Amino acid sequence: MRNELNNIEHIEKYLRDELSPADKKAFEDKLKTDTNLQKEVELQKDVIKGIERVGAKQSIQKASRN
């Protein structure tokens, strides 16, 4: 379980462009060949999009009430 959390954290840092250039290159090299990592990155992207949609929806609802 701990390894999965580390992977998620590493993916999040990659998606937020918070990795060092060397770490980013290593991650992208691994991403080219590791289909499981590719799936995990896509899943994390979908999660982030969903969270953003919920936040936008709540902002719209709040604005319409005011």
Side-chain angles (χ1 to χ4, degrees):
M1 182 66 164
R2 181 73 181 146
N3 193 30
E4 290 174 15
L5 293 176
N6 287 336
N7 286 343
I8 291 170
E9 182 178 3
H10 202 72
I11 291 168
E12 286 180 4
K13 286 181 179 181
Y14 171 73
L15 294 174
R16 290 187 306 232
D17 200 27
E18 296 176 351
L19 295 176
S20 69
D23 287 343
K24 182 177 180 179
K25 170 101 172 75
F27 186 87
E28 289 174 342
D29 288 344
K30 186 175 180 181
L31 192 56
K32 290 176 185 176
T33 60
D34 188 335
T35 56
N36 286 330
L37 182 59
Q38 292 169 6
K39 290 175 187 176
E40 288 181 41
V41 168
E42 288 304 313
L43 177 61
Q44 195 64 25
K45 285 180 182 178
D46 290 343
V47 168
I48 291 168
K49 285 179 189 175
I51 291 169
E52 289 171 349
R53 277 190 225 128
V54 168
K57 183 178 178 181
Q58 289 175 343
S59 294
I60 292 168
Q61 288 173 343
K62 184 178 179 182
S64 68
R65 283 183 281 212
N66 294 336

